[in-house]
Amino acid sequence: MNQTFKKLEEEYLQKGQALSMALVVLEWDQATEAPKEANENTSKMIGVLSDLYFHAYINDEVKDMMKEIKQEQDTLDEREASIFRELELLYEELETIPPKEYAEYAELTALSTNIWQKAKEEKDFSKFAHTLERLINYKKKFANYRKKEDGKTSYDILLGDFEPGFDEKKFDDFFAVIKKELVPFIQEINEKAKNVEKSFNFKSFDVEKQKEFCHFIAEYIGFDFNKGVIKESAHPFTTNLHNKDVRITNHFYENNLESAIFSVIHEAGHAIYEMQVADELTLTLAGTGTSMGVHESQSRLYENIIGRSEAFWKPIYPKLVESFKEQLKDVSLKQFVQAINKPECGLIRTEADELTYSLHILIRYEIEKLLFEEKIKVSDIPSVWKEKYENYLGVTPTDAAKGELQDIHWAGGDFGYFPSYALGSAIGAQIYYYMKEKMPFDAYLAEGNLKPIQEFLKENIHKFGKTKKTNQILFDMTGEEFNPMYYVKYLKEKYRMLYEG
Amino acid sequence: MNQTFKKLEEEYLQKGQALSMALVVLEWDQATEAPKEANENTSKMIGVLSDLYFHAYINDEVKDMMKEIKQEQDTLDEREASIFRELELLYEELETIPPKEYAEYAELTALSTNIWQKAKEEKDFSKFAHTLERLINYKKKFANYRKKEDGKTSYDILLGDFEPGFDEKKFDDFFAVIKKELVPFIQEINEKAKNVEKSFNFKSFDVEKQKEFCHFIAEYIGFDFNKGVIKESAHPFTTNLHNKDVRITNHFYENNLESAIFSVIHEAGHAIYEMQVADELTLTLAGTGTSMGVHESQSRLYENIIGRSEAFWKPIYPKLVESFKEQLKDVSLKQFVQAINKPECGLIRTEADELTYSLHILIRYEIEKLLFEEKIKVSDIPSVWKEKYENYLGVTPTDAAKGELQDIHWAGGDFGYFPSYALGSAIGAQIYYYMKEKMPFDAYLAEGNLKPIQEFLKENIHKFGKTKKTNQILFDMTGEEFNPMYYVKYLKEKYRMLYEG
């Protein structure tokens, strides 16, 4: 136990944690609960709180203590060392930003989600364009403040915030594999699966019954309602105050049975990660998921690898049929599993199947690169979006809500986030193959016994919070760093089995 | 515009406001939404935020600026002067409390509501007693730090926090009038009303339909859902982030039609007050209701004087019957109005009729006095409670949940709050007689036109926030300070009309 660190943690870092928690709960509240007209006043106060958050970490006292601790760094225990490293990263990220700009930016992001939501409702990109431009300009400016190493691009820096250790080069390599291996494979499978029937999942489904089933399935996979809450919002998301208060949202469409079910499994995957972070780490800088990619590996492992497998549905499909007898009574388990995996080139990322999903990400990755390299302007987004969807997926957006306004991420200033979805899918596959070696994975699913899987993820990933980074987690667990070939292998095996058998 | 004040407001007071808003939203969240196991971690962080809140106001820079402003006080405009006065009051309240104790107390109150709730569920006062004792000790200690004027009791100070300008002496006088005038009158009316039928309001009422009707009636009286939210909690309450985000809770019982309806009218009365505070005052120290008594005058004006009158129900009673046909089809408007006003000596304050209500308050007032004068101990509360209910109301608590654990207030450290309910009822009556002079009050109600009443309250009370104190509001409006005889007059007229006609 380092005494200076102890003082730092009790007298300073706690304040940052408390302010961060307040901001989390306000953001959650704005998305799920606050009345329409509240936004302007509340955003102003969120700006003030963000400024306080900033200064809780970035101030001369903390800086002096950090210098002191740095000199006696070898006396830090493991927990302290991890928190200290996160503090250094935070300094690297925040210290260069003038506080006034940081507060302005925070106030802007508090308003921008509402502006995006309205623009989306009105299917009018121009109503969001100016806000988006401001967000991008702030992000560019902030990234430029931080550029130290030669050759680092602004976008490299943003990518690294979500996925420490990964940059444009690494993502370019990753997406090159995806393109090379999967684009031809998608065409092959699309052809084979084209006659698979799935219209039964798009009949009319009572929303209250959907909610009940989603509640059931969240609990079934391990979401603990004593430590969590599920509500509704425009776009499903997960957030957490700490490891005993983790919250997810869902959305419901009457004519789509798949959307809510796979959204809730996805978000519950994120939530289980946060719920299983060790008690001694929660409410510290090292107390949440280690990176977006690893987070997405968990959500997409649950959503796709587990949640779209036949073994998973074997024990619970009868319950689903029971809930929606009229619509599903003539649909066999096999037909249902073929339906929920059917590859289709669509417009909406969150509704995409596992195979085409990475192309949706690729498009966003390429557009973000173009924006940050200043090769296109914000006003070009709609036409570039259209062109890329036509080229990669052969579909044309019918309106902005089904096109460039579909995702909440940019409205929150989250540029560089999307690639981690694809990375997460690939990490998930790598973990999956390792788990299959270590336990009777499919047999557990078929028995309805998901606890050993949850426990394994806790012991190998979740409990560490940010104390281990992506490649370290993979290496310590599997003996190998990130390798995208497992993802290719997984998709090829799975889809061949599904539609060639 | 005073330049020092401007700096004070922008650089310091805004922080206090933002932290206060964060604490409000966390408190709301804990009461309505947070998962079970969240409380401990979250409370710890609430303690840290409360400490930040404390220091946002109480620090040397603010103190120095206050000294400077004090010397040029005549250059402050009206808005600035009001905010400055509230800041001085805050200093008077907080400055004497050692910050560590303040943070400990805040952490305790964040935990204590849960402890109270569990004790109430288990009907076991002993499970709350230790926490209550700690709360009282903090409150005594804090009040003692502030005792400056000779002869002021601790309880005087707590009473004054909720109702500036009022102390034990004034409340003793007020309750003496209540006792002298109302105790015999209650007996007289109880006798006359004893055969009034009201069992139809305690049949089985679908909770979803109750919720719908409560939503309707809240909007009907003026609750603006674009600026407000209604949810459920153990005990109904009102809170607000600012004038465009005001929130109330309600609770529903299947076998009680009256409870939810009059709770929602009561809380909506509070909410309308907060929604109508002027825009230039909201998010400042002067930007909420002026005192608990005036707040209760608004909630109880809406709940009782308006909400339990025949004129109010005339246009909407058919809608209620429509919602609950089976239960109410044979009940006339007159029978319904007699039923919702029927005086009955019961155990539960929030379920009490207008006439016996002030006796419930009297009991709490007397017990609080005894506790703060150290004439009884916390462990004596159950027996004193029982004794007083038997003496004043002739009823014996069946268990702690229906006795000393029924109210949330003490769990939040709110000692000295209860008397303002009775005071508020009396202020409400005084305002009512003035409004009847100035507008066709009953005719508006009978037409279903509540807007002029809401507008009148806005112009004479709400918009001023804390810039006018209780007696000043009454004097500026009616030409007279607080006078309890209007309350006596109102109750006698109303109840004689109802049950002697």
Side-chain angles (χ1 to χ4, degrees):
Chain A
M1 173 69 81
N2 180 298
Q3 286 308 315
T4 316
F5 185 86
K6 190 168 177 245
K7 190 172 172 232
L8 174 70
E9 190 168 14
E10 279 172 11
E11 290 178 22
Y12 294 91
L13 304 191
Q14 286 248 30
K15 289 180 194 167
Q17 280 304 134
L19 287 159
S20 156
M21 193 188 85
L23 287 163
V24 163
V25 87
L26 278 161
E27 195 187 350
W28 160 266
D29 186 272
Q30 291 286 295
T32 62
E33 178 122 323
K36 262 190 196 167
E37 295 181 23
N39 195 240
E40 201 183 321
N41 279 341
T42 304
S43 296
K44 213 169 127 189
M45 293 294 102
I46 287 175
V48 177
L49 288 168
S50 301
D51 188 52
L52 285 169
Y53 167 80
F54 184 96
H55 287 292
Y57 290 113
I58 310 296
N59 62 62
D60 291 342
E61 290 97 319
V62 171
K63 240 164 131 172
D64 290 345
M65 291 171 93
M66 282 173 74
K67 267 182 215 150
E68 210 176 307
I69 293 164
K70 194 82 187 164
Q71 284 164 352
E72 45 193 49
Q73 203 164 2
D74 50 351
T75 68
L76 295 178
D77 65 28
E78 215 178 311
R79 175 182 170 279
E80 292 169 344
S82 298
I83 297 168
F84 189 69
R85 192 175 54 199
E86 294 305 320
L87 183 62
E88 287 184 315
L89 284 172
L90 197 71
Y91 258 73
E92 196 271 309
E93 186 187 337
L94 295 183
E95 201 188 3
T96 53
I97 303 173
K100 199 168 160 280
E101 285 179 19
Y102 184 80
E104 280 166 10
Y105 171 73
E107 198 177 330
L108 176 64
T109 55
L111 286 168
S112 56
T113 303
N114 262 31
I115 296 168
W116 160 75
Q117 206 161 323
K118 264 185 217 147
K120 188 179 175 184
E121 274 162 27
E122 295 173 25
K123 302 172 183 179
D124 185 350
F125 180 73
S126 72
K127 295 213 162 124
F128 179 55
H130 175 64
T131 304
L132 181 55
E133 204 171 338
R134 288 184 63 202
L135 287 163
I136 291 171
N137 286 340
Y138 274 115
K139 279 291 187 176
K140 267 188 207 156
K141 219 195 276 185
F142 295 170
N144 283 333
Y145 290 143
R146 293 162 58 193
K147 260 191 230 166
K148 282 175 202 155
E149 294 167 42
D150 270 351
K152 253 200 179 179
T153 68
S154 307
Y155 195 47
D156 277 335
I157 288 170
L158 299 179
L159 289 167
D161 283 346
F162 291 106
E163 202 58 43
F166 284 69
D167 55 16
E168 279 191 58
K169 171 76 182 64
K170 283 200 175 151
F171 275 110
D172 284 346
D173 291 349
F174 169 54
F175 281 115
V177 173
I178 300 289
K179 261 195 207 167
K180 178 173 167 277
E181 296 281 348
L182 293 184
V183 172
F185 181 67
I186 287 170
Q187 285 166 351
E188 175 197 326
I189 289 295
N190 268 353
E191 186 53 30
K192 284 180 179 143
K194 73 178 176 202
N195 293 323
V196 166
E197 179 58 51
K198 65 177 294 177
S199 63
F200 45 80
N201 280 347
F202 300 86
K203 292 179 175 176
S204 171
F205 297 87
D206 181 69
V207 164
E208 284 311 310
K209 279 193 184 169
Q210 285 194 52
K211 279 185 198 170
E212 269 170 44
F213 191 81
C214 285
H215 185 99
F216 156 75
I217 209 165
E219 204 157 31
Y220 180 80
I221 70 167
F223 183 89
D224 180 349
F225 280 91
N226 288 321
K227 298 177 185 165
V229 169
I230 302 187
K231 278 180 86 174
E232 285 175 63
S233 70
H235 185 100
F237 68 90
T238 302
T239 189
N240 64 309
L241 279 68
H242 43 69
N243 68 350
K244 294 196 176 65
D245 191 341
V246 185
R247 301 173 181 203
I248 65 183
T249 64
N250 200 358
H251 60 174
F252 297 90
Y253 302 110
E254 204 196 316
N255 295 307
N256 188 337
L257 179 61
E258 297 181 6
S259 173
I261 289 176
F262 292 103
S263 288
V264 84
I265 299 177
H266 180 96
E267 301 306 331
H270 284 302
I272 289 166
Y273 191 170
E274 293 296 341
M275 284 173 177
Q276 298 204 121
V277 167
D279 282 343
E280 73 262 26
L281 291 174
T282 199
L283 294 177
T284 75
L285 285 171
T288 57
T290 193
S291 73
M292 279 305 144
V294 178
H295 238 302
E296 287 299 326
S297 81
Q298 301 306 288
S299 55
R300 297 185 69 77
L301 174 70
Y302 272 104
E303 179 194 348
N304 294 322
I305 300 177
I306 293 174
R308 293 184 200 264
S309 71
E310 188 170 331
F312 174 73
W313 282 100
K314 205 178 156 217
I316 60 172
Y317 185 61
K319 189 180 159 70
L320 185 69
V321 176
E322 187 58 38
S323 301
F324 303 106
K325 230 178 252 171
E326 208 187 306
Q327 300 93 326
L328 299 177
K329 64 177 185 304
D330 297 325
V331 181
S332 72
L333 171 61
K334 194 174 168 187
Q335 284 173 305
F336 179 73
V337 173
Q338 283 195 328
I340 59 175
N341 284 292
K342 183 179 181 180
E344 266 174 326
C345 293
L347 292 170
I348 307 296
R349 177 184 62 83
T350 55
E351 312 288 331
D353 58 88
E354 244 179 309
L355 255 187
T356 57
Y357 188 84
S358 41
L359 298 188
H360 291 264
I361 298 304
L362 177 64
I363 290 168
R364 286 155 178 78
Y365 175 67
E366 291 184 348
I367 291 175
E368 288 186 348
K369 272 178 70 173
L370 290 168
L371 284 165
F372 280 86
E373 287 167 5
E374 300 186 357
K375 290 187 180 151
I376 63 168
K377 295 194 297 280
V378 165
S379 57
D380 298 326
I381 292 176
S383 61
V384 177
W385 189 281
K386 181 168 167 286
E387 195 193 308
K388 289 192 181 285
Y389 263 82
E390 285 172 351
N391 287 347
Y392 287 105
L393 286 152
V395 291
T396 306
T398 48
D399 58 52
K402 293 200 171 69
E404 66 276 6
L405 286 179
Q406 66 183 268
D407 297 305
I408 198 173
H409 304 63
W410 290 347
D414 291 334
F415 307 98
Y417 185 129
F418 284 120
S420 58
Y421 285 114
L423 182 70
S425 300
I427 294 172
Q430 189 169 351
I431 294 166
Y432 164 66
Y433 278 105
Y434 182 70
M435 287 171 86
K436 277 194 19 161
E437 271 177 35
K438 293 287 157 189
M439 61 169 75
F441 194 85
D442 283 351
Y444 281 148
L445 295 183
E447 287 163 15
N449 180 16
L450 277 77
K451 200 71 201 166
I453 296 170
Q454 187 181 345
E455 203 54 38
F456 180 94
L457 295 171
K458 178 180 172 185
E459 291 305 320
N460 288 281
I461 304 169
H462 300 177
K463 72 175 185 187
F464 299 117
K466 283 182 186 289
T467 62
K468 288 189 184 186
K469 301 296 171 200
T470 312
N471 272 325
Q472 196 192 338
I473 283 174
L474 287 171
F475 187 82
D476 288 354
M477 176 169 36
T478 71
E480 188 181 6
E481 292 200 343
F482 174 62
N483 179 349
M485 292 314 293
Y486 290 103
Y487 185 41
V488 173
K489 183 183 173 198
Y490 159 72
L491 289 172
K492 288 189 177 176
E493 278 183 10
K494 172 172 176 173
Y495 278 85
R496 288 205 171 117
M497 180 93 86
L498 269 168
Y499 302 112
E500 296 188 353
Chain B
M1 175 68 80
N2 179 298
Q3 286 309 316
T4 316
F5 184 85
K6 191 167 175 246
K7 190 171 172 234
L8 174 70
E9 192 169 14
E10 279 172 11
E11 289 177 22
Y12 293 92
L13 304 191
Q14 287 248 34
K15 291 179 193 168
Q17 280 304 135
L19 287 160
S20 154
M21 193 187 85
L23 287 164
V24 163
V25 87
L26 278 161
E27 195 187 351
W28 161 266
D29 186 90
Q30 290 285 296
T32 63
E33 178 122 322
K36 261 191 196 167
E37 294 181 22
N39 195 240
E40 201 183 321
N41 278 341
T42 304
S43 296
K44 212 170 128 190
M45 292 294 102
I46 287 175
V48 177
L49 287 169
S50 301
D51 188 52
L52 285 169
Y53 167 81
F54 183 96
H55 286 293
Y57 291 113
I58 310 296
N59 62 61
D60 290 342
E61 290 97 319
V62 170
K63 238 164 134 173
D64 290 346
M65 291 172 93
M66 282 174 74
K67 266 183 215 149
E68 209 177 307
I69 293 164
K70 194 82 188 166
Q71 283 164 353
E72 45 193 49
Q73 203 165 1
D74 49 351
T75 67
L76 294 179
D77 64 29
E78 215 178 311
R79 175 182 169 280
E80 293 169 343
S82 297
I83 296 168
F84 190 70
R85 192 175 54 197
E86 293 305 320
L87 182 62
E88 288 184 315
L89 284 172
L90 196 70
Y91 258 74
E92 196 270 309
E93 187 187 336
L94 295 184
E95 199 189 3
T96 53
I97 303 174
K100 198 167 159 285
E101 285 180 18
Y102 184 80
E104 281 166 7
Y105 171 73
E107 199 178 329
L108 176 64
T109 55
L111 286 168
S112 56
T113 304
N114 263 31
I115 296 169
W116 160 76
Q117 207 162 321
K118 265 185 216 145
K120 188 178 173 183
E121 275 162 27
E122 295 173 24
K123 302 173 183 180
D124 184 350
F125 180 73
S126 72
K127 296 211 163 125
F128 179 55
H130 175 63
T131 304
L132 182 56
E133 204 170 337
R134 288 183 63 202
L135 287 163
I136 292 172
N137 286 341
Y138 274 114
K139 279 291 187 176
K140 266 187 208 157
K141 220 196 273 185
F142 294 168
N144 283 334
Y145 290 143
R146 293 161 59 191
K147 260 191 229 167
K148 284 175 200 155
E149 294 166 43
D150 270 350
K152 252 200 179 176
T153 67
S154 307
Y155 195 49
D156 278 335
I157 287 170
L158 299 179
L159 289 168
D161 282 345
F162 291 105
E163 202 57 43
F166 284 70
D167 55 16
E168 278 191 58
K169 170 79 183 60
K170 282 197 176 152
F171 275 111
D172 284 346
D173 292 350
F174 169 55
F175 281 114
V177 172
I178 300 289
K179 261 195 207 168
K180 177 172 166 278
E181 296 281 347
L182 293 184
V183 173
F185 182 67
I186 287 170
Q187 285 168 349
E188 176 197 326
I189 289 295
N190 268 352
E191 185 54 29
K192 283 178 180 145
K194 73 176 176 202
N195 293 324
V196 166
E197 178 59 49
K198 65 177 295 178
S199 63
F200 44 80
N201 280 347
F202 299 87
K203 292 179 175 176
S204 170
F205 296 88
D206 180 68
V207 164
E208 285 310 310
K209 279 193 183 170
Q210 285 194 53
K211 280 185 197 169
E212 271 171 44
F213 192 82
C214 285
H215 185 100
F216 156 76
I217 211 166
E219 202 157 32
Y220 180 80
I221 69 167
F223 183 89
D224 181 349
F225 281 90
N226 287 321
K227 299 178 186 167
V229 169
I230 302 187
K231 278 181 86 175
E232 286 175 62
S233 70
H235 185 100
F237 67 91
T238 302
T239 191
N240 64 309
L241 279 68
H242 43 70
N243 67 350
K244 294 195 174 66
D245 191 342
V246 185
R247 301 173 181 203
I248 65 183
T249 63
N250 200 358
H251 59 174
F252 297 90
Y253 301 110
E254 203 196 315
N255 295 306
N256 188 337
L257 179 61
E258 296 182 7
S259 173
I261 290 177
F262 292 103
S263 288
V264 82
I265 300 177
H266 180 95
E267 301 305 332
H270 284 302
I272 289 166
Y273 190 170
E274 293 296 341
M275 284 173 177
Q276 298 203 120
V277 167
D279 281 343
E280 73 262 25
L281 291 175
T282 199
L283 294 178
T284 76
L285 285 171
T288 57
T290 193
S291 73
M292 279 304 145
V294 178
H295 238 303
E296 288 299 325
S297 81
Q298 301 306 288
S299 55
R300 297 186 69 77
L301 174 70
Y302 272 104
E303 178 193 348
N304 294 323
I305 300 176
I306 293 174
R308 294 185 199 264
S309 72
E310 188 170 331
F312 173 74
W313 282 99
K314 205 177 155 215
I316 60 172
Y317 184 60
K319 189 180 159 70
L320 185 69
V321 176
E322 187 57 39
S323 301
F324 301 106
K325 231 178 249 168
E326 208 187 304
Q327 300 92 326
L328 298 178
K329 64 178 187 299
D330 299 324
V331 181
S332 72
L333 171 61
K334 193 173 168 190
Q335 285 174 304
F336 179 74
V337 173
Q338 282 195 329
I340 59 175
N341 284 291
K342 184 179 181 180
E344 266 174 327
C345 293
L347 291 171
I348 308 295
R349 178 184 61 83
T350 56
E351 312 289 330
D353 58 89
E354 244 179 307
L355 255 187
T356 57
Y357 188 84
S358 41
L359 298 190
H360 290 265
I361 298 305
L362 177 64
I363 290 168
R364 287 153 178 78
Y365 175 67
E366 290 184 350
I367 291 175
E368 288 186 346
K369 273 178 68 172
L370 290 168
L371 284 166
F372 280 85
E373 287 167 5
E374 300 185 357
K375 290 185 180 152
I376 63 169
K377 294 192 299 280
V378 165
S379 57
D380 298 326
I381 292 176
S383 61
V384 178
W385 189 282
K386 180 169 170 287
E387 195 192 309
K388 289 194 183 282
Y389 264 83
E390 286 171 350
N391 288 347
Y392 288 105
L393 286 153
V395 291
T396 305
T398 48
D399 59 53
K402 293 199 170 70
E404 65 277 7
L405 286 179
Q406 66 183 266
D407 297 306
I408 198 172
H409 303 64
W410 291 346
D414 292 334
F415 307 98
Y417 185 130
F418 284 120
S420 59
Y421 285 114
L423 182 70
S425 300
I427 294 171
Q430 190 169 351
I431 294 166
Y432 164 67
Y433 278 104
Y434 181 70
M435 286 173 87
K436 277 194 20 160
E437 270 177 35
K438 293 288 157 187
M439 62 169 74
F441 194 86
D442 283 352
Y444 281 147
L445 294 183
E447 287 163 15
N449 180 15
L450 276 79
K451 200 71 201 164
I453 294 170
Q454 188 181 344
E455 204 53 40
F456 180 94
L457 295 171
K458 177 181 173 184
E459 291 306 319
N460 288 281
I461 303 168
H462 300 176
K463 72 175 186 188
F464 298 116
K466 282 182 185 289
T467 62
K468 287 188 183 187
K469 299 297 171 199
T470 312
N471 272 325
Q472 196 192 338
I473 284 174
L474 286 170
F475 187 81
D476 288 354
M477 175 166 41
T478 70
E480 189 180 7
E481 292 199 341
F482 174 63
N483 179 348
M485 292 314 293
Y486 290 103
Y487 185 42
V488 173
K489 183 184 172 196
Y490 159 73
L491 288 173
K492 288 190 174 174
E493 276 181 12
K494 173 173 175 172
Y495 278 86
R496 286 201 173 119
M497 180 93 85
L498 268 168
Y499 303 111
E500 296 189 349

